[in-house]
Amino acid sequence: MCCNILPRHPHHIPTAMRAALLIQRWYRQYVARLEMRRRCTWNIFQSIEYAGEQDQIKLYNFFGYLMDHFTPASSERNLISHIFREHDIGRDVEWESYKSIEVPELYSGPHLSFPMTFSNAAELVEAFKNKQQLHSRYVLQLLVESWRRLRILPNISQISTCHSKEITICGRNQNAHQAFKQLISCFNGLPSSERPYVFNGDYVDRGKDSLEILLILFSFLLVYPNDVHLNRGNHEDHIVNLRYGFTKEVLGKYKLHGKKILKLLQKIFSWLPLATVIDHKVLVLHGGISDTTDLHLLSRVDRHKVTNPFKKQMRSGLIGSDLEDNDPTYEFVGSSRRRVRSLTHTTYTVTRHEAPRRSLQVQTTRVTYSVEEELKKRRRQAGLSQSYRDLHNSTMNSDLDSDPDSGGELLDSNEDEWKQIVDLLWSDPMPQDGCIPNDVRGGGCYWGPNVTEEVLRRHNLTLLIRSHECKQEGYEFCHNRKVLTIFSASNYYEVGSNRGAYIRMGPDLVPHFIQYQANRSTRELTLRQSVGQTERSALKALREKLFAHKSELVSAFQVYDPEHKGRISLGNWASAMEAVLKLGLPWRMLRSQLVGETVDGMLDYQLWFRELSITEHKTELSNANLLETMYKNHSNLETIFRIIDTDNSGLISLEEFRQTWKLLSTHLQTDISDKAISDLAVSIDFNKDGSIDINEFMEAFRLVGGDLLQTKCSSGGSIL
């Protein structure tokens, strides 16, 4: 019977096959388009994140400049000087102050006893699951005990597997979405002597449960000191915490004792180990390495002195001065001059040994040599593969004078130690050979496969495990599978943006990966729904950034509009966007989502800004430049506010508010009048009590994307 059917309908088989092939081709193209959209969305999130980190480090540099070049009695210097006082914490007589804090009978949260037991730690996990808060007395006592434990640990922990043990390695587990669940998802069973863990830094910031995560980790560290290992990340830094949320979180949860908790955490962060080595073969650290990385040197560093790894860089005078000498390559020391070096960047400044110190009020034109421009010039001259060491040494060793008075802090032999710590915390791998400064993040370096080979060979290692970068699948190999990035926070940028993962490693030292999504609703989304949701969030963040740079963008557009018709080509639009924002994004690919209607391929850019649909602060303030400065420098402004708020009350006086703006305007090298600042202060002092609530102010002037984005994306539009 089959033999009779086939000859009758010979066209059925080729038709079915053609249909199957068409469906297969369509599906592959569909998946490929979704993957391109996801990658483009990823680039938006990552570019904005790294631009924020670079902005933060530039602000650090500015603070260092103030400390080095303004008179000790100047009000501007006094506003920020306390963040440089490393020894204040060590002299703090209130270390044992928790003993005087009473726990009221009505307190229904968990009770801790010391030495801590497993039941204490497990009870704490359950309490935090149920949204209970630990009493401040127990928080402080737990932190003091953790500090006592951490300070006796080596810089590089040496641990080993055996046939009965399997080590679990977790990367960053903190984000803005269900951060506590991320940690619980990482637990391959609660830590114990049979289940050892290595946690690889970045326990705080960008989430609402950072403190709870720290307290849980410290609890298990005390219970199982030989089986729970905590490496330091770049966010274990009290100044970074001012910008990215941890300081605000602690003060919001513990209004009475929050300041004590933060001071103690600052000390604890400086005592966290820098790396962990498993079976003498696998190196686990947060960021990465450079071609100068020396584990033997790092094992001898006084790590507790590095409360902020960039402090050495900040105090080295990275910001140019306003001397009449216009050669930015040298600083003057007495009658001699020499090149200036910094901890993580190759940059130059002009200073004079006996130059008079100034106040902000007499600021004049400053000679600033661009870090980015210098690095790009040197990279063009030397090629991408030039070693980080060569680039570093070329600026350190040229024209150095042997004058004994020219030593000072810049020639301190400990600088190499500081630099290596920054590399460990901030560096990222790159596919090309070589080692170059990481001018995308603003700190550390990019290192290539040849550097990995050399560092591993030099220390007889086989694998480097690091975190520091979000990966879409939660992990990623590079450098011939000798570098492994593990990132344990799922939904890092947005719900559905990425999976989290952790590693299980036995005596064979082969990594086994466990991937997860902490959010149940995300697990139920289709790929198209997940990409679309993440894409909307990324475009919303990008639109807000575009609007904050409106004046600069208009000026850039006008360069391509010499006849002032108000229209430019889409190609010129893309060029201007990158010239102003410097995000390295595929603007031509993004224009379908960012640009509406065009006429003959020409964009009306004033109309385009109106169509961005960004919700602004409704204020009677007439100074548009001041408003735009606020939008563009929102995070910097909040950082300065929180530094000035020394009592951590959340309130600053009108005079402190004025000084904040003076600091910011000097950092930005822009002129903001006293009247404009006074008008702004009056407009937001709602109850007229002479003080300003920092949180209310920052929320009032936060840009919010409007409905246009939702309409475009939900109606089927996409990045591609």
Side-chain angles (χ1 to χ4, degrees):
M1 187 172 181
C2 290
C3 293
N4 294 333
I5 289 176
L6 288 175
R8 287 181 195 172
H9 306 285
H11 62 282
H12 285 178
I13 295 177
T15 300
M17 289 182 64
R18 282 198 299 270
L21 289 172
L22 286 173
I23 293 172
Q24 185 183 61
R25 183 185 304 169
W26 170 86
Y27 182 73
R28 286 175 176 173
Q29 291 174 346
Y30 170 76
V31 172
R33 284 195 298 270
L34 284 178
E35 179 61 22
M36 285 296 293
R37 286 172 59 188
R38 187 169 76 154
R39 290 184 183 183
C40 196
T41 298
W42 191 266
N43 287 340
I44 294 173
F45 278 129
Q46 197 167 65
S47 295
I48 292 175
E49 177 189 11
Y50 290 175
E53 290 182 349
Q54 186 182 90
D55 207 28
Q56 168 92 353
I57 293 171
K58 288 178 180 177
L59 187 63
Y60 289 175
N61 298 343
F62 170 67
F63 291 156
Y65 172 77
L66 289 186
M67 292 299 295
D68 283 343
H69 296 281
F70 284 74
T71 59
S74 68
S75 58
E76 297 85 8
R77 194 177 191 273
N78 286 336
L79 286 171
I80 63 167
S81 60
H82 62 281
I83 68 173
F84 290 88
R85 296 176 192 146
E86 297 177 5
H87 301 296
D88 281 2
I89 309 168
R91 293 196 303 264
D92 193 348
V93 297
E94 299 180 348
W95 280 87
E96 304 292 331
S97 62
Y98 66 84
K99 294 179 180 178
S100 63
I101 300 175
E102 296 288 337
V103 179
E105 293 183 5
L106 295 177
Y107 169 70
S108 58
H111 292 263
L112 302 183
S113 59
F114 295 86
M116 283 197 69
T117 63
F118 175 82
S119 60
N120 285 146
E123 180 187 357
L124 199 58
V125 172
E126 289 303 314
F128 290 156
K129 279 184 181 178
N130 296 321
K131 304 298 182 183
Q132 291 182 302
Q133 189 174 85
L134 185 64
H135 194 275
S136 57
R137 183 223 160 88
Y138 295 130
V139 172
L140 288 166
Q141 189 171 3
L142 177 55
L143 293 179
V144 169
E145 295 299 324
S146 300
W147 170 76
R148 287 174 175 159
R149 172 61 194 170
L150 288 169
R151 65 196 300 265
I152 66 174
L153 296 179
N155 292 347
I156 301 176
S157 304
Q158 298 284 343
I159 63 177
S160 63
T161 60
C162 65
H163 294 294
S164 61
K165 281 191 177 181
E166 185 179 60
I167 294 177
T168 301
I169 305 166
C170 299
R172 181 185 176 96
N173 51 44
Q174 182 64 283
N175 67 8
H177 308 281
Q178 298 182 310
F180 184 74
K181 286 187 177 181
Q182 306 281 353
L183 177 64
I184 301 304
S185 298
C186 280
F187 279 149
N188 172 28
L190 292 177
S192 69
S193 56
E194 289 75 35
R195 287 188 293 268
Y197 279 79
V198 176
F199 295 95
N200 204 23
D202 277 12
Y203 313 110
V204 300
D205 287 331
R206 291 197 177 98
K208 299 179 180 179
D209 305 313
S210 296
L211 185 58
E212 286 76 11
I213 287 173
L214 269 182
L215 295 176
I216 288 174
L217 295 178
F218 288 154
S219 297
F220 283 107
L221 172 70
L222 294 177
V223 177
Y224 300 108
N226 298 318
D227 301 289
V228 174
H229 307 276
L230 308 178
N231 290 339
R232 184 177 181 177
N234 64 306
H235 277 263
E236 278 66 69
D237 177 325
H238 67 287
I239 302 182
V240 174
N241 301 153
L242 289 167
R243 182 186 187 104
Y244 290 103
F246 183 53
T247 298
K248 180 179 177 181
E249 176 193 338
V250 172
L251 295 176
K253 292 176 178 177
Y254 293 94
K255 293 181 171 57
L256 184 58
H257 299 290
K259 186 176 180 180
K260 292 179 182 177
I261 292 172
L262 287 171
K263 285 188 76 173
L264 193 47
L265 283 169
Q266 180 179 345
K267 192 68 173 178
I268 287 173
F269 287 166
S270 71
W271 279 103
L272 286 169
L274 301 173
T276 300
V277 175
I278 303 173
D279 286 351
H280 305 288
K281 289 295 181 182
V282 178
L283 174 63
V284 185
L285 48 78
H286 179 73
I289 56 176
S290 74
D291 58 355
T292 64
T293 296
D294 182 347
L295 298 185
H296 303 297
L297 174 63
L298 284 164
S299 67
R300 301 191 301 269
V301 171
D302 290 329
R303 69 179 188 274
H304 66 285
K305 294 182 179 179
V306 190
T307 55
N308 174 262
F310 285 100
K311 198 166 292 180
K312 192 78 167 183
Q313 170 182 320
M314 292 192 292
R315 299 305 306 278
S316 297
L318 294 183
I319 306 298
S321 65
D322 57 345
L323 300 177
E324 67 275 13
D325 306 280
N326 58 11
D327 182 355
T329 308
Y330 299 94
E331 75 165 0
F332 286 81
V333 183
S335 60
S336 63
R337 67 177 184 169
R338 58 187 173 82
R339 290 187 185 272
V340 178
R341 57 176 172 154
S342 71
L343 187 59
T344 56
H345 294 298
T346 305
T347 186
Y348 306 114
T349 67
V350 186
T351 58
R352 191 183 295 276
H353 186 56
E354 298 298 335
R357 296 181 178 237
R358 310 172 292 294
S359 174
L360 284 172
Q361 283 80 358
V362 294
Q363 177 197 6
T364 58
T365 305
R366 178 174 301 128
V367 180
T368 302
Y369 198 77
S370 166
V371 173
E372 291 82 1
E373 290 175 5
E374 174 63 17
L375 292 179
K376 288 176 183 176
K377 185 184 81 173
R378 288 177 168 271
R379 223 174 295 164
R380 286 195 299 270
Q381 293 172 344
L384 188 61
S385 64
Q386 179 180 354
S387 75
Y388 190 40
R389 182 190 292 112
D390 291 342
L391 187 58
H392 184 65
N393 290 341
S394 69
T395 59
M396 284 169 47
N397 298 330
S398 300
D399 300 297
L400 286 177
D401 196 282
S402 59
D403 185 343
D405 293 332
S406 67
E409 188 175 22
L410 287 175
L411 298 181
D412 189 337
S413 61
N414 291 330
E415 277 199 33
D416 189 46
E417 300 174 357
W418 291 69
K419 173 194 162 306
Q420 294 215 15
I421 291 177
V422 173
D423 288 342
L424 244 64
L425 299 180
W426 284 85
S427 296
D428 296 304
M430 66 177 182
Q432 304 95 337
D433 281 349
C435 196
I436 60 174
N438 190 335
D439 47 341
V440 174
R441 287 191 190 267
C445 70
Y446 284 117
W447 86 93
N450 63 324
V451 176
T452 295
E453 290 277 356
E454 172 58 23
V455 172
L456 293 183
R457 182 199 61 76
R458 193 189 313 150
H459 297 93
N460 195 26
L461 300 167
T462 59
L463 178 66
L464 188 159
I465 297 177
R466 42 92 65 178
S467 302
H468 196 44
E469 285 184 286
C470 183
K471 298 298 179 182
Q472 290 186 347
E473 297 302 322
Y475 71 93
E476 182 179 279
F477 278 105
C478 65
H479 294 185
N480 302 315
R481 298 181 68 86
K482 292 187 177 181
V483 172
L484 169 59
T485 298
I486 187 72
F487 199 86
S488 300
S490 65
N491 309 313
Y492 179 64
Y493 291 122
E494 178 55 76
V495 174
S497 64
N498 66 285
R499 295 183 182 183
Y502 59 90
I503 298 170
R504 290 177 182 168
M505 180 175 285
D508 59 1
L509 300 183
V510 175
H512 301 277
F513 305 101
I514 293 85
Q515 297 170 289
Y516 61 88
Q517 282 278 8
N519 189 297
R520 178 176 296 177
S521 62
T522 304
R523 295 194 291 267
E524 297 171 354
L525 294 176
T526 65
L527 177 61
R528 183 173 182 272
Q529 291 171 327
S530 176
V531 170
Q533 181 172 303
T534 308
E535 186 178 75
R536 286 192 292 272
S537 180
L539 289 169
K540 174 177 176 291
L542 184 57
R543 287 170 183 269
E544 292 166 5
K545 196 166 186 68
L546 297 180
F547 194 85
H549 289 77
K550 180 178 178 180
S551 294
E552 294 171 80
L553 285 169
V554 168
S555 297
F557 294 153
Q558 288 172 345
V559 172
Y560 296 104
D561 182 25
E563 297 180 6
H564 307 290
K565 293 182 178 180
R567 297 193 300 274
I568 58 174
S569 70
L570 291 176
N572 289 338
W573 169 85
S575 299
M577 295 285 279
E578 182 56 30
V580 171
L581 297 172
K582 297 179 175 62
L583 292 176
L585 294 174
W587 295 106
R588 293 174 185 272
M589 188 180 295
L590 289 167
R591 68 188 185 190
S592 63
Q593 274 295 0
L594 296 175
V595 176
E597 296 295 325
T598 60
V599 179
D600 298 326
M602 302 296 285
L603 170 68
D604 183 328
Y605 50 86
Q606 294 291 359
L607 177 62
W608 174 67
F609 274 112
R610 291 195 293 272
E611 289 180 344
L612 281 178
S613 189
I614 300 295
T615 302
E616 296 184 72
H617 173 63
K618 303 303 181 184
T619 178
E620 298 178 1
L621 191 64
S622 59
N623 193 316
N625 289 336
L626 186 58
L627 280 172
E628 187 169 326
T629 299
M630 271 191 295
Y631 295 145
K632 187 162 52 178
N633 297 279
H634 193 273
S635 295
N636 278 344
L637 193 58
E638 182 169 6
T639 300
I640 298 175
F641 274 144
R642 299 208 180 277
I643 289 172
I644 289 177
D645 179 26
T646 53
D647 62 354
N648 296 309
S649 65
L651 301 172
I652 58 173
S653 68
L654 294 180
E655 175 59 22
E656 289 172 330
F657 181 80
R658 189 187 72 81
Q659 295 285 8
T660 297
W661 275 97
K662 283 297 182 183
L663 280 174
L664 183 63
S665 63
T666 305
H667 169 51
L668 300 176
Q669 300 183 26
T670 59
D671 184 20
I672 302 176
S673 68
D674 287 341
K675 183 180 185 305
I677 296 172
S678 297
D679 290 346
L680 176 61
V682 169
S683 73
I684 59 174
D685 183 15
F686 303 114
N687 57 5
K688 308 303 178 186
D689 64 350
S691 63
I692 295 171
D693 185 296
I694 297 174
N695 292 332
E696 287 185 5
F697 174 78
M698 299 313 299
E699 286 302 315
F701 289 93
R702 190 182 300 277
L703 286 173
V704 179
D707 295 331
L708 178 64
L709 177 64
Q710 298 287 342
T711 303
K712 274 198 160 190
C713 291
S714 60
S715 62
S718 68
I719 286 176
L720 297 181

